[in-house]
Amino acid sequence: MIKDIKTALLLFLILAVMTGLIYPLAMTGIGQVVFPHQANGSLIRQHGRVVGSSLIGQYFREPQYFWSRPSATSPVPYNGAGSSASNLGPNNPVLAQHVAARIKALKAADPAEKGPVPVDLVTSSASGLDPDISIAAARYQILRIAQAGGIAAATLRHLVQQNTTEPLLGFIGEPVVNVVKLNLALHARYVAAHVATGSITKGPQS
């Protein structure tokens, strides 16, 4: 009996050390060596300062910048510590009310855009944190941004193309546009233009 208990305790200690210490340390080490960027949160840095993560969206509402899809976290949008199920059921009238209100707001902000509002601009992602929107959602906003920011629509389309991620292996998923990276690229254009004219511009408020 005592021998069995000693054997069980020894196995427990061995497994505890292997699964609770050696394995996590090994995986952490491999991650830091092989995938350091991803292992540290896929952080986006500008001028040595962390400005976000390519995995978590940010809230943008200035008319001269691209807008993300709605966030489901409350009270702070895109709160990484508050990710949860987001969209209401398709038969829930509250969802229809939310979507209708978002469509109305987008059409009011983009009166020159007569096309249908892309669905991802009026619905949250499953996590409520998704930083990506569809190409259609990005293009829908170009007329508003061109007018508000005084930047050519062709330039905006080029920026969207530059910040589009193609499907994995060419066929898994859909092409998406990372709004955080896109707005940083757009802001760089604004800064360059304002430096050339001697004026000052603020960065996107998120």
Side-chain angles (χ1 to χ4, degrees):
M1 181 69 177
I2 296 177
K3 182 179 179 180
D4 291 339
I5 294 175
K6 289 183 177 179
T7 301
L9 288 175
L10 180 60
L11 289 173
F12 171 77
L13 290 174
I14 292 173
L15 287 173
V17 171
M18 289 181 62
T19 61
L21 184 63
I22 296 176
Y23 179 78
L25 287 176
M27 292 299 101
T28 300
I30 292 172
Q32 291 295 332
V33 173
V34 182
F35 305 107
H37 177 66
Q38 294 86 340
N40 289 288
S42 299
L43 300 179
I44 301 173
R45 299 178 185 271
Q46 272 203 337
H47 310 298
R49 183 171 64 94
V50 175
V51 296
S53 168
S54 60
L55 302 177
I56 299 178
Q58 294 184 22
Y59 183 76
F60 301 100
R61 272 299 175 265
E62 293 167 302
Q64 69 270 32
Y65 290 95
F66 288 90
W67 294 352
S68 307
R69 65 187 307 175
S71 172
T73 63
S74 179
V76 180
Y78 292 101
N79 177 10
S83 176
S84 62
S86 53
N87 283 336
L88 300 167
N91 295 325
N92 193 319
V94 177
L95 176 61
Q97 294 171 7
H98 287 175
V99 170
R102 290 164 182 166
I103 290 176
K104 182 178 180 180
L106 284 167
K107 286 188 174 294
D110 288 275
E113 178 56 68
K114 304 301 182 182
V117 177
V119 66
D120 50 324
L121 286 180
V122 295
T123 55
S124 303
S125 64
S127 67
L129 305 175
D130 196 343
D132 301 323
I133 58 176
S134 64
I135 295 176
R139 289 176 176 171
Y140 180 88
Q141 305 179 64
I142 283 178
L143 291 179
R144 181 197 77 234
I145 296 167
Q147 182 176 9
I151 190 167
T155 299
L156 293 170
R157 286 191 290 269
H158 181 63
L159 285 176
V160 169
Q161 183 179 5
Q162 284 184 320
N163 289 276
T164 296
T165 300
E166 297 299 329
L168 182 64
L169 301 179
F171 66 92
I172 301 176
E174 298 289 334
V176 293
V177 182
N178 188 292
V179 180
V180 179
K181 292 181 178 180
L182 177 59
N183 276 337
L184 288 173
L186 177 56
H187 180 64
R189 293 284 183 134
Y190 287 141
V191 170
H194 282 271
V195 167
T197 58
S199 57
I200 301 174
T201 184
K202 295 182 178 180
Q205 301 299 308
S206 60

